[in-house]
Structures are given as structure tokens and as C-alpha cells.
Amino acid sequence: MKLAFAGAGFVGIVYGAMMAKKGNSVTIYDIDENKISALNDFCEGKKNSLPIHEEGLPTILEQAYKEGLLRFTTDSKQAISDAEVIFLTVGTPSDAQGRADVRYVNAAAHTIGKVMKEDAKYKLIVTKSTVPVGTAKRLEEIIGTYAVGKFDVASNPETLAEGKAVKDAEEPQRIIVGTESERARRILSDLYAPFFFPGEKGICFMSPESAELTKYACNTYLASQVVLTNMFANLAKRYGANWREILEAIGADPRIGKFVHPGLGFGGSCFKKDVSALCQMMKDTGAVREDYEVLERIIAQNEAQKHALNPLLKQVYGESLDGQTLAVWGLAFKKDTNDVRDAASLRVIPDLLQMGAHVRAHDPKAAKEFLKEIGAMDVDMANLEICKEKYAATEGADGLLIITEWITYRQPDFAELREKMRRRIIFDAKDLMNYQKMQEETDFSYYAIGRPDIVR
Ligand code: NAD
């Protein structure tokens, strides 16, 4: 099938590449010329120009491009005109009130409509972006003001997770499709057929409104689980209980599941904006405060959690960090991605700098993105150094903070840390170290979220 993707972001690149891998002819277009030329450069062999880091993605892109199944362009008109199915994968950030800002979705719909004014061929427009309930209907109206031929708009919210996006796209747990059109249903069934074994029921069909709401429900359930987990981890620490032991028991309950690791709250581009948008939708539809207040609390508790290391730092160093050098391992919002949107590092490092520390930070993939993001904030960076190597970051450090769960940080060489660091203190926000080993085999003081302190 001939497909176009509007928006070469995380979702557009990963899903576009995956659809090409499944044999479709895919054109990904974007209004951002730099992004498109970086993607074309990468496919032409310029190794370091891929804008996103996702395991397995480079090979799929290279292969699909080589086979002529994948193109990147800024020529939206051509891409739309050639395609039978157009996926919308543009961003839907929060607006000033916390609603989903649908201006990019609307703009993309107008562009599609304008092409369809001159071309009567049937097209299916599919929203993969996370959009407020009612958007499919509204896009139908927008495109309908231009289109001379038949078309359908279907909702197909995307649930892939960064860091394992290729795997999620290739082996989806389920595909959500909202449509009332039999034709759209058939096209999407065909398109997704290669993602499931014959006879396997992989697609959940529903109305567009249900599909749009499903995505908000998924992210809100997950976000609330993170918040509850951190609440209990904080409480466990205050009681001297061990969250990891509790986790073993909780995780064994299939009604609760495994998504219960403590940390500095959720980050990334989705949970906060989607919970905020849902909260606004609740208000817009006349929900009572008691119903939507829980969503406001999820966001507030999560924000507070980003600063959860501060009391531990004060416990160890006192109110001021003047004269202290602190190493920070991890800048990405989670492992295996270079995305720093709403990452804990963007709260932790400004806190450390503000308290007077000298900060030496490292991340395997996200240093450039972090510098860009923090550079746009009102933060004095004179005392911030970004190090290319993780142990270099610990040189002369009075403490090491681990805030992203990259595997490379999991089993550090303690002899090297001992040699490099001025004081042997580790703050583990991701519960990454082996607690027993920290207790029995090292001489480091160890402060972790959800664990009793090991003080030396
Ligand atoms: P992103 O910000 O990484 O990329 C969006 C891209 O759309 C940008 O490159 C932008 O230049 C482009 N764009 C904007 N307007 C355009 C237009 N009119 N025509 C063509 N391109 C245009 O966004 P993302 O993280 O890929 O997310 C996209 C959508 O998918 C959002 O609604 C998000 O909530 C949802 N989503 C994201 C994830 C994720 O993990 N990132 C997962 C599931 C769903």
C-alpha cells in the first residue's frame, strides 16, 4: 500500500519505517527541513545524523531506504497526492491551559484537504497522534470543506513506548482502531495483518470517540501507577521498609502488573500532557471537581517526586551544596532513548546548581539534547560540565547521583569509583544497584528511593 506519514517525530519515523519494513511504500513528510535533511543524510550514509535514538531503528531505516520503500520529504503535496492512506503523527503538546494543542493536527488536515481539492481519488486519513475526543469528526469537517472525492478519517492512537519503540511497533500488544466506515476497517485490517499471526485477534475496533478516549485512559492508568508506586516507595523509606521486597509481592499480582518501579516520576512527552488534557476534557464535559481532582494530584505528586533526592542531599551535605562536586549519571527521561522532554535531569540538575554544587554529568545518548533543553531554561550553567565518559564525570566528586536506568550504570566498577571520587556516596534514584552488594561488598554510603539508607 502507498502510505504517507505527516510528522517525522518519534512516532512517524518508527512507524513509517516499520510499515516500510512490512512492504508498504512509505513517504514521511515534515515541515521541519532540518529534520528531513538529517534523515536523508542518515539514509545516504551519514551515520551520526539520525535525530532519534531507538534500538534497531537504524538498520530498518537503511534497509527500507535501500529497497526504495522509504522516502523523507518536505513536499507534503506530493506525499499526500501519492498516498492511499495518510497517517497523522504530528505533535499535540499542551497549550497554556493544559489542553491538547491541536494546531498541528488542524494544519495537517488543511494541507491534506487542499490536495484533495484537486484529486478525487479516495483517501483514508488516520490519526496516530494523541488527540482530544471528537477530533476525528472535526477533521472530517475540515477535510470535507475541500475534498472533491470520497474519504474517511479513522482514529488509530499509538501506544508505543520510547526506548523500545521498534519492538512495540513490530509486535504490538493490540492495535486500537476507531472508525464507523467499513472501507476504512478493511484497509486497516489489511495494513495491520502482517503484524499478527493468521487468526490472531490483534485489532480492537471501536468508534472514533472510544479510540480517542482509550489512549488517554491507557496513559492515565500508567501515570497513576507510577505516582502510587513512588508514594509507597517514599513511605517504605520513611518506615525503613524495603520497596524491592514489597515489589516482588506486588508484581506477582497480575491485577497490578509489573509497571511499579520507583524513581523520580514519569517524564517524556506524553504522560503529563495527556493527563492534563484529560483533566481539561473532564472540565469541558461538566465533570465534578471530585472526579478530575485526582488527575491534578497525579501531575502535582509527579512534579514533587522529581525533587525527591533533595531531602537526602540535605541529610548528607546540609542546606547548601557550596563546595560540593556532584556527578550525575543519566540525562534522558528513561534508558535507551535520547529524549529529554520532561526528564528528571531537567529538575535535578537545576536544583543542584541552585544549591551551589559543581555538577559533572554524563549520558550515553542524550547529552546534546539535554544541553539544548536546559539552555532554553533560566539556569546558570557556569558550574555544569558534561562529560563524555561516565567515570570521568565522577572525578573529584563528593557524591554520585544515578537518575536514568541505563544498563551501563548498573554494575559500576567500584574500584574505579573509589579512585576517582572524593567521597564514597551514591544516590540511586532508579533502584539500580544490588542493595545486598552495596551493603556487604562495598564501603559506599548508599541512598536509594524506596530503600533504607546505608550510612558509612
Ligand atoms: P514529535 O514532536 O517528536 O514530532 C512531531 C513532528 O511533527 C515534528 O517533527 C514536527 O515538525 C512535525 N509537524 C508539525 N506539524 C506538521 C505538519 N503540519 N505537517 C507535517 N509535519 C508536521 O512528536 P512525537 O513524539 O512523535 O508524537 C507525535 C504524536 O504521537 C503526539 O500526539 C504524541 O502524543 C503521540 N505519541 C507519542 C509517543 C512517544 O513516545 N513519543 C507515543 C505514542 C503516541
Side-chain angles (χ1 to χ4, degrees):
M1 231 177 272
K2 287 189 168 171
L3 313 178
F5 281 75
F10 273 85
V11 175
I13 298 174
V14 172
Y15 236 100
M18 192 51 69
M19 283 295 185
K21 184 180 173 183
K22 299 287 179 192
N24 300 287
S25 169
V26 176
T27 304
I28 303 180
Y29 69 90
D30 204 292
I31 48 174
D32 184 337
E33 282 178 22
N34 291 334
K35 219 172 225 183
I36 292 300
S37 59
L39 285 159
N40 278 321
D41 283 351
F42 172 78
C43 290
E44 292 293 338
K46 231 171 134 187
K47 289 291 167 217
N48 287 330
S49 60
L50 192 57
I52 63 172
H53 170 78
E54 279 295 336
E55 185 75 31
L57 182 63
T59 315
I60 300 177
L61 286 173
E62 278 164 349
Q63 188 70 25
Y65 187 82
K66 221 188 302 164
E67 288 173 11
L69 290 173
L70 186 60
R71 281 167 297 278
F72 298 98
T73 183
T74 51
D75 186 350
S76 53
K77 203 172 160 198
Q78 192 64 51
I80 296 162
S81 162
D82 288 347
E84 300 161 69
V85 182
I86 303 146
F87 285 95
L88 301 188
T89 51
V90 299
T92 46
S94 289
D95 72 7
Q97 282 82 43
R99 286 189 174 79
D101 183 346
V102 289
R103 86 176 85 155
Y104 304 108
V105 177
N106 289 347
H110 282 285
T111 309
I112 293 167
K114 284 176 191 159
V115 174
M116 292 179 67
K117 201 174 175 176
E118 291 156 19
D119 183 353
K121 271 202 310 280
Y122 171 87
K123 288 192 194 299
L124 172 59
I125 296 95
V126 184
T127 48
K128 258 201 184 301
S129 302
T130 305
V131 290
V133 181
T135 301
K137 287 269 150 65
R138 212 171 31 72
L139 296 187
E140 229 167 71
E141 284 166 21
I142 294 177
I143 297 167
T145 58
Y146 301 96
V148 289
K150 288 207 165 91
F151 72 94
D152 285 303
V153 177
S155 166
N156 172 213
E158 185 46 58
T159 56
L160 57 74
E162 284 177 31
K164 57 185 192 68
V166 170
K167 190 169 187 300
D168 283 355
E170 188 144 40
E171 298 161 26
Q173 284 155 333
R174 60 9 190 153
I175 297 288
I176 303 154
V177 171
T179 182
E180 265 135 23
S181 151
E182 195 44 47
R183 190 169 183 177
R185 193 184 164 111
R186 264 202 321 273
I187 293 172
L188 289 168
S189 295
D190 285 351
L191 203 49
Y192 282 115
F195 290 81
F196 299 100
F197 290 113
E200 197 182 359
K201 192 180 173 297
I203 305 184
C204 303
F205 284 106
M206 56 186 81
S207 71
E209 291 77 11
S210 296
E212 287 161 347
L213 190 53
T214 301
K215 171 68 196 199
Y216 285 102
C218 281
N219 275 2
T220 303
Y221 270 93
L222 295 172
S224 61
Q225 211 164 347
V226 173
V227 161
L228 275 181
T229 293
N230 286 328
M231 184 195 84
F232 277 114
N234 295 342
L235 183 63
K237 190 169 181 70
R238 290 201 296 277
Y239 274 125
N242 190 327
W243 179 251
R244 176 59 59 177
E245 292 166 359
I246 301 168
L247 178 68
E248 300 278 316
I250 290 183
D253 186 334
R255 293 169 306 170
I256 300 178
K258 300 278 179 204
F259 197 64
V260 284
H261 298 281
L264 295 179
F266 53 76
S269 63
C270 291
F271 283 4
K272 184 178 171 187
K273 91 170 164 66
D274 293 347
V275 175
S276 301
L278 180 66
C279 190
Q280 295 305 324
M281 282 189 261
M282 299 274 281
K283 290 179 186 172
D284 292 345
T285 53
V288 292
R289 168 159 281 282
E290 287 72 13
D291 263 350
Y292 63 76
E293 217 168 26
V294 63
L295 303 175
E296 293 174 340
R297 297 310 308 158
I298 288 174
I299 295 165
Q301 196 279 355
N302 192 65
E303 186 57 36
Q305 189 66 17
K306 298 219 158 117
H307 305 276
L309 288 180
N310 289 357
L312 296 175
L313 291 165
K314 285 182 183 163
Q315 188 182 315
V316 174
Y317 304 105
E319 284 299 314
S320 164
L321 295 177
D322 267 349
Q324 310 290 342
T325 294
L326 293 173
V328 175
W329 278 0
L331 299 169
F333 88 90
K334 61 154 119 162
K335 70 171 177 170
D336 299 337
T337 178
N338 62 338
D339 198 346
V340 297
R341 289 179 282 185
D342 211 19
S345 60
L346 294 166
R347 300 289 186 285
V348 172
I349 290 179
D351 280 357
L352 297 178
L353 293 170
Q354 224 237 325
M355 286 189 266
H358 183 89
V359 177
R360 295 170 63 80
H362 170 266
D363 189 281
K365 294 287 171 197
K368 193 173 75 184
E369 290 74 10
F370 173 78
L371 279 175
K372 189 170 166 213
E373 203 80 6
I374 199 170
M377 294 164 65
D378 186 17
V379 175
D380 179 356
M381 297 199 292
N383 279 323
L384 172 64
E385 281 177 82
I386 301 290
C387 302
K388 285 209 166 76
E389 199 271 324
K390 65 181 174 192
Y391 293 111
T394 66
E395 188 83 57
D398 297 286
L400 163 64
L401 283 64
I402 305 173
I403 62 173
T404 309
E405 67 280 19
W406 287 99
I407 291 296
T408 176
Y409 300 149
R410 187 157 217 135
Q411 289 180 313
D413 179 344
F414 286 101
E416 178 129 25
L417 287 180
R418 208 173 277 117
E419 201 177 291
K420 291 260 183 334
M421 292 175 70
R422 196 152 56 185
R423 289 177 71 186
R424 293 166 193 168
I425 305 175
I426 293 179
F427 299 88
D428 182 359
K430 302 302 287 191
D431 194 22
L432 212 58
M433 304 282 115
N434 180 322
Y435 189 76
Q436 202 178 347
K437 192 169 170 180
M438 292 308 298
Q439 216 160 18
E440 293 169 5
E441 295 175 32
T442 78
D443 54 357
F444 281 69
S445 289
Y446 181 65
Y447 300 87
I449 289 177
R451 305 269 202 179
D453 297 340
I454 303 172
V455 184
R456 277 151 172 150

